[in-house]
Each structure stands twice: as C-alpha cells, then as structure tokens.
Amino acid sequence: MTAPEHHGPVVHDWAVVPLPATDPDPLPRRLLREEPVARVRLPYGEGHAWLVTRYEDIRQITSDPRMSRALTAGRPLPSSTPHTLAPAGGVGRADPPDHTRLRKLIAPTFTRRRMRALRAHTEERAADLAARTQDAGPPADLTETFIGPLSASVVAELLGVPAADLDRVHAWREAVLRHDTTEADAESVKGEIAAYVAGLARHRAEHPADDLISELAAARAAGGLSTPELVSTAVMLTLNGLDAVRNIVATMVYVLLVHPDQTAKLRAEPARLPPAVEELLRYIPQRNGVGMPRIPTADIEVGGVTVRAGDVVHVFYPAANRDTAVFTDPDRLDLERDEAPHLAFGHGLHYCAGAALARMEAEVMLSTLLTRFPALALAVAPERLAWRRGTVNRGPVALPVTW
C-alpha cells in the first residue's frame, strides 16, 4: 500500500510482518527492482525514512563518512521496533573518533590467537553436545539440544559471562529483541542489563580473566572508555552472540536439509564448507525490518536521488544480497557460488565486529552435524515448521530433526 505526500515522492508503507523460512520481504524486494532509493513509512517513529536496497548504493552509503550514527541518539526515528535496540554510547551508534577508539578496544578480542583458542573450545563443546543429542535419540530439537546451548557457551567464554547467569541473559534477550516490547518495558530491561554488566565489570576489574569484560574493565580503569560505553559494547556483543548466531545457524541447517543434493556434495567435500557458509549467509534473510539508521551531515547523491542533510536513511542488506546486478540467479542457493562478497555482516565503518566469530561458530556447528549425523533430516514436513513471529531476527521456533 502506498500513499502520496502532498509535496514529494510516493511514500511506501512498510508493515513488517512475519515471514516463513527464507521468503524475502516483499516490499524491499519490489523496491530493489523498481525504486532502489525510496521513501518508506515504518511502524514506529516519526516521519519518513529513505530505504536503500541496491547492493552498490548500500556500499556507497555505508562507506560515506558523512553518514552519521551518532546523530540518531535521542530522536524518535522511523523504526521497525517501538524502542531503540542499540544503546547510546556504544560502538554501534558512534562516529569517529569515538568509533575508532571503541573498535580498537574490541579488536584484541578477535585476534587470531584468541579465535584459535575459542574455536578449540567451540569444537570441544560441539562434540559434547552432539554426543548428548545422539545418545538421547531422535527426534531432537537442535535449537534446544545443540545450537542454542553452543552459542550461549561461546558467548560465556568470550565475554566472561558466568554460565549460571545465562538464563537471566536469555530472558533479557527475548524481551529486548521482540517487536511488541514497549519502549517503557524495553528501557526497564535495558536498565537491568546495564546494571548487571556494570556489576560484572566491577568484579572483573578486581578478578581479571582472559575475556572481553576483563579487557574492557581494564580499559575503563585506564581512562580508555566510560562505563556507558563499556556496557553498551558488551550488551551488543552478547545479544548478537546469543540471538543472531542461534537463528542464523538454525536457518542454515534448515536450508541444507531442504537442499539434500547440495548438502550431499558438501558432505563429500568438507573443505568446501567455508565458502558454503558464505553462500548461506548471502541466501538467508536474517532479520525482520531494519536496524540502526544513519543521518547524513550533508546532501548526498545516491542512486540518482538527492538525500538531504538531516534525512533518515535505512539500508536493507537482505535485499542487496538478492541483487540481480551482482548475483547470478540470486534466489537460487548455490553452495559453489563464487561472486561478490555478501553484505550479511554489513559494510564499511560499522561492519559487524563479531563477523569472524559468527563464521567460526557456523563452520564448527555445521561441520559437527554433517559429520556426526550423516542421515540428518527434518522430522516434520518443511511446511509444518513454525517460524519466529514479532522478533528482530528471523529463524525457526524449533528445528525438529531425526537421523
């Protein structure tokens, strides 16, 4: 449904609705073909926003230093959710030089040495969870027996969140990442999370360990960042590690199981797994609606359209990952695809800080499942699977399998 403005272009109403499996969102899909820089009205916030859907236009926008995230703070901007997911003061809503400083503090967490150690932990835990799943016998819900517990274990190991606290953190995750959580409720939950992380940081300052919270606590003591910056950075990595990875990998397993011929080739040639993960990341539409917008500090020309300083600009990466100008037959899964890099982790200044971690987790989980369960299959017909509704990240509610 569209409605014309009195003095300007058509504004498209984007009602973000639940979508099954890997179905693309119909409005961004259409705009990619017909109007790749378009005005949209979102369910929450005031006014309209630009929505950019074309691959090259998104790369331009996300690389332009005039596109600010910091200017989004404290404004009721057009959004898919009634509250702002990313807390102010964190790396996700910072511009240089603050953004540069915060990314440098996070960078040591993802060094090759740390990632090797974390991969070893992940492989050990994956083997244990797979064995437990196998011993319990089919059918099994992989989101509960394998994928969810493993992603939680990695977050606990990386950040230093005690395993005993993960149930509480999961409850906060569910509340914050739902579309129907009111702004007041979200702020209350975020206040609980902030208090928890601040307390954990105080503990780690006195009893440091080899984890991100300890490193951030040491940096705060040295004057390298503030408490709000520490909290928002830790919360961002925790929520993404628990929710985004869980849903992405669960959807990857689903996609592999409904493409048995391609999966059989992957089993026969395990060395092809890393590029297969990249194709799965491109193919899967990971989220409902849009994330954090940007605001230009000057007029910018993009896709033949002039975006004025102060306008609100959203990009939609799942649409760009299906751009026919970049990807051949983009609606087809091709685990042997060798084309342009996908934009599943974003692009430019705010490229996902945890991309290497998410890739590693996906590779370990898929490798373990393909090796341990050569006859792995869905325990129900694909059309009977329930998919998450009213949440930021898309994914199956449960993933019942047999073998």
Side-chain angles (χ1 to χ4, degrees), residues 136-186:
D141 173 11
L142 286 184
T143 63
E144 291 299 321
T145 67
F146 184 76
I147 299 169
L150 185 50
S151 59
S153 175
V154 172
V155 166
E157 181 76 7
L158 177 72
L159 275 82
V161 175
D165 293 345
L166 282 174
D167 284 347
R168 214 174 358 154
V169 176
H170 273 301
W172 291 330
R173 167 187 67 87
E174 285 285 350
V176 169
L177 295 175
R178 288 197 60 82
H179 283 171
D180 59 1
T181 299
T182 66
E183 185 173 3
D185 287 344

Side-chain angles (χ1 to χ4, degrees), residues 75-90:
R75 295 178 56 182
L77 303 179
S79 173
S80 304
T81 57
H83 60 93
T84 303
L85 296 179

Side-chain angles (χ1 to χ4, degrees), residues 21 25 37 53 82 86 92 106 182 194 196 222 244 269 299 321 324-325 343 353 371 377 400:
D25 193 307
V37 182
T53 50
I106 297 172
T182 66
Y196 170 78
E269 300 179 53
D299 291 358
N321 282 335
T324 56
L343 300 180
T371 303

Side-chain angles (χ1 to χ4, degrees), residues 38-380:
R39 285 279 201 180
V40 296
R41 183 184 293 107
L42 289 160
Y44 302 98
E46 297 177 1
H48 310 135
W50 292 103
L51 181 67
V52 182
T53 50
R54 191 160 51 191
Y55 185 95
E56 290 302 333
D57 293 339
I58 287 180
R59 283 171 58 93
Q60 174 196 334
I61 285 289
T62 53
S63 300
D64 195 320
R66 297 171 295 175
M67 298 299 298
S68 171
R69 281 276 185 84
L71 290 178
T72 65
R75 295 178 56 182
L77 303 179
S79 173
S80 304
T81 57
H83 60 93
T84 303
L85 296 179
V91 66
R93 295 180 70 183
D95 297 334
D98 288 337
H99 179 272
T100 308
R101 171 176 54 84
L102 292 170
R103 285 295 286 243
K104 285 182 177 178
L105 291 172
I106 297 172
T109 302
F110 302 103
T111 60
R112 290 182 181 179
R113 178 194 66 80
R114 177 67 68 75
M115 292 305 296
R116 280 196 300 269
L118 201 55
R119 178 181 279 270
H121 165 85
T122 307
E123 289 173 342
E124 180 180 346
R125 185 75 174 121
D128 176 60
L129 289 168
R132 290 169 182 259
T133 299
Q134 191 171 43
D135 290 345
D141 173 11
L142 286 184
T143 63
E144 291 299 321
T145 67
F146 184 76
I147 299 169
L150 185 50
S151 59
S153 175
V154 172
V155 166
E157 181 76 7
L158 177 72
L159 275 82
V161 175
D165 293 345
L166 282 174
D167 284 347
R168 214 174 358 154
V169 176
H170 273 301
W172 291 330
R173 167 187 67 87
E174 285 285 350
V176 169
L177 295 175
R178 288 197 60 82
H179 283 171
D180 59 1
T181 299
T182 66
E183 185 173 3
D185 287 344
E187 290 306 312
S188 175
V189 171
K190 283 186 275 191
E192 292 180 30
I193 299 173
Y196 170 78
V197 172
L200 182 58
R202 286 193 299 270
H203 177 75
R204 286 287 185 259
E206 298 175 2
H207 307 282
D210 185 18
D211 57 51
L212 178 61
I213 296 291
S214 296
E215 291 170 3
L216 293 177
R220 181 183 60 180
L225 82 166
S226 67
T227 296
E229 289 173 336
L230 183 157
V231 167
S232 59
T233 300
V235 168
M236 176 195 70
L237 290 170
T238 301
L239 293 180
N240 284 336
L242 288 175
D243 199 80
V245 170
R246 175 191 178 106
N247 285 290
I248 289 169
V249 175
T251 307
M252 283 182 173
V253 175
Y254 161 81
V255 169
L256 290 177
L257 295 182
V258 297
H259 292 83
D261 292 345
Q262 295 198 52
T263 304
K265 293 180 182 178
L266 187 58
R267 277 199 176 95
E269 300 179 53
R272 291 171 43 198
L273 182 58
V277 166
E278 297 306 305
E279 168 65 355
L280 288 164
L281 286 165
R282 182 202 67 82
Y283 181 80
I284 293 169
Q286 299 172 10
R287 65 174 298 131
N288 290 306
V290 288
M292 180 59 58
R294 294 164 172 82
I295 295 177
T297 58
D299 291 358
I300 292 174
E301 189 85 7
V302 55
V305 174
T306 299
V307 176
R308 301 295 182 188
D311 283 356
V312 180
V313 181
H314 279 288
V315 300
F316 192 62
Y317 296 117
N321 282 335
R322 301 287 185 102
D323 189 339
T324 56
V326 179
F327 302 104
T328 305
D329 194 6
D331 291 335
R332 178 175 59 88
L333 179 74
D334 180 2
L335 297 184
E336 297 180 356
R337 189 183 297 273
D338 183 17
E339 293 181 301
H342 62 74
L343 300 180
F345 293 122
H347 182 263
L349 194 66
H350 290 281
Y351 182 80
C352 177
L357 177 66
R359 284 186 169 100
M360 180 275 287
E361 290 186 71
E363 289 177 15
V364 170
M365 290 192 210
L366 295 182
S367 175
T368 302
L369 291 173
L370 292 172
T371 303
R372 172 78 67 158
F373 302 100
L376 192 68
L378 289 175
V380 299

Side-chain angles (χ1 to χ4, degrees), residues 376-401:
L376 192 68
L378 289 175
V380 299
E383 59 271 17
R384 289 186 56 199
L385 281 182
W387 294 83
R388 300 182 74 190
R389 302 173 62 88
T391 56
V392 171
N393 293 312
R394 294 175 61 174
V397 174
L399 192 63
V401 297

